[in-house]
Amino acid sequence: MLQRPPRVAAIHDLSGFGRCSLSVILPILSVMGIQGVPVPTAILSTHTGGMGPVQFRDLTDYTVPCLEHYQRLGLTFECVYSGFLSSEQQIDHCLAFQRAYPEALTVVDPVMGDNGKSYATYTPAMRERMAELVAGADLIMPNMTEACMLLKLPHIHEPIPRSQAKSLLVRLSEMGPNAVIITSVPLSMGILANVGYDREKNAFWLVECDYVPVAYPGTGDLFAAVVTGALLGGDSLPMAMARATGYLERTIKVTYSYGADTRFGVMFEKTLPTLAQPYDFKSYQVL
């Protein structure tokens, strides 16, 4: 039994303004009783979503020396959790973290694009090699755009039936990870949902999302961080999905009620305390 909080090596960028990546991941994990150890892949003045030219510093030369220092210290991690990468070489660095901590839960958020488009910083070579990182993961959490990229499919714009959602989940799991969550999937029964698959249990899950007519940056980071913290805290996959969906939905609705500038991200500071309260989550169901 651990005599300390679980540790997560969080390999993500740090955007100074805009509430995304490490600036939201670290407080989420802390409130959930997890020690987040930041391993920044890049530093940005803001996120890249509409706030003008961004000051960007690539930290490709930092990741491996950071890992080597942690190994010299004899540090162990219960989770290696990667997200936005700023160069192809950083895929190798994430793989090095995975190899260094083979017993750790390996979570990959394959941050490559959204709304049917690749992010400008993601090269074709990086998209191709993301499959290597996914292959070594225990859990991956792509959005629909990223799921299609990983499977080399045209982007799916229209709502899909449950059977197709299950097919996508299985095909992604066949790339290596035991568990897969696809976020914000429009289903043909007229709902938006997060869907998940546990290959070991051969179980498919669905958590419905209330639709709010607005989009904020960083919501995928919040969702993935809550799922990661919940799994390390002992939740099952559907419980973690439900906890993350409920928290994100609550946070989006609070932010929307204030009419805040969408570029500034969600007001998660107002809802953070709810993550430490007794379990209050949206019900999950079998997909």
Side-chain angles (χ1 to χ4, degrees):
M1 181 176 178
L2 281 177
Q3 300 299 309
R4 55 166 175 78
R7 292 192 193 116
V8 176
I11 310 172
H12 296 256
D13 69 292
L14 174 61
S15 293
F17 186 80
R19 296 188 180 101
C20 65
S21 58
L22 286 172
S23 66
V24 302
I25 291 168
L26 295 178
I28 289 286
L29 292 175
S30 293
V31 168
M32 298 184 76
I34 311 295
Q35 181 185 3
V37 178
V39 183
T41 58
I43 298 176
L44 295 82
S45 53
T46 70
H47 61 70
T48 57
M51 287 195 277
V54 173
Q55 290 299 311
F56 181 96
R57 302 292 183 271
D58 173 70
L59 294 179
T60 295
D61 62 353
Y62 170 80
T63 322
V64 169
C66 178
L67 170 60
E68 291 170 345
H69 186 198
Y70 293 159
Q71 290 180 302
R72 288 194 300 271
L73 291 171
L75 294 181
T76 56
F77 292 90
E78 283 63 55
C79 177
V80 175
Y81 165 30
S82 62
F84 174 83
L85 307 177
S86 61
S87 71
E88 183 182 348
Q89 291 87 348
Q90 287 181 349
I91 293 174
D92 292 311
H93 302 169
C94 289
L95 291 169
F97 261 92
Q98 291 181 4
R99 290 190 297 269
Y101 302 102
E103 301 303 315
L105 173 70
T106 303
V107 178
V108 173
D109 183 359
V111 182
M112 297 188 291
D114 203 359
N115 298 316
K117 298 179 180 179
S118 173
Y119 294 133
T121 56
Y122 249 78
T123 66
M126 292 175 72
R127 290 195 298 272
E128 190 71 24
R129 293 203 59 208
M130 181 55 70
E132 298 177 44
L133 198 53
V134 163
D138 296 306
L139 167 65
I140 63 171
M141 291 184 273
N143 58 34
M144 275 294 286
T145 296
E146 293 154 350
C148 291
M149 286 181 178
L150 288 170
L151 295 174
K152 299 182 179 179
L153 297 172
H155 180 64
I156 299 171
H157 294 277
E158 300 300 320
I160 61 175
R162 287 181 184 235
S163 58
Q164 188 175 355
K166 292 170 75 169
S167 174
L168 292 172
L169 289 165
V170 169
R171 291 179 61 185
L172 287 167
S173 180
E174 288 171 347
M175 296 179 70
N178 177 68
V180 179
I181 298 171
I182 308 177
T183 59
S184 300
V185 178
L187 294 174
S188 54
M189 61 243 259
I191 65 170
L192 189 68
N194 298 317
V195 299
Y197 174 56
D198 184 329
R199 183 177 64 214
E200 185 177 311
K201 297 181 175 63
N202 192 31
F204 297 87
W205 306 100
L206 174 156
V207 183
E208 187 174 344
C209 314
D210 285 352
Y211 174 72
V212 179
V214 69
Y216 298 99
T219 51
D221 296 322
L222 265 77
F223 179 88
V226 175
V227 168
T228 300
L231 291 175
L232 290 171
D235 281 5
S236 65
L237 183 68
M239 288 170 65
M241 289 172 57
R243 188 191 292 267
T245 303
Y247 175 72
L248 189 58
E249 183 179 289
R250 182 184 306 117
T251 305
I252 289 173
K253 287 179 176 178
V254 165
T255 307
Y256 185 65
S257 75
Y258 282 91
D261 189 324
T262 58
R263 297 174 301 166
F264 297 173
V266 290
M267 296 179 178
F268 78 109
E269 301 89 352
K270 289 188 172 293
T271 57
L272 265 179
T274 66
L275 284 172
Q277 293 174 357
Y279 207 173
D280 175 23
F281 60 87
K282 290 176 65 73
S283 61
Y284 52 83
Q285 57 184 290
V286 173
L287 176 61

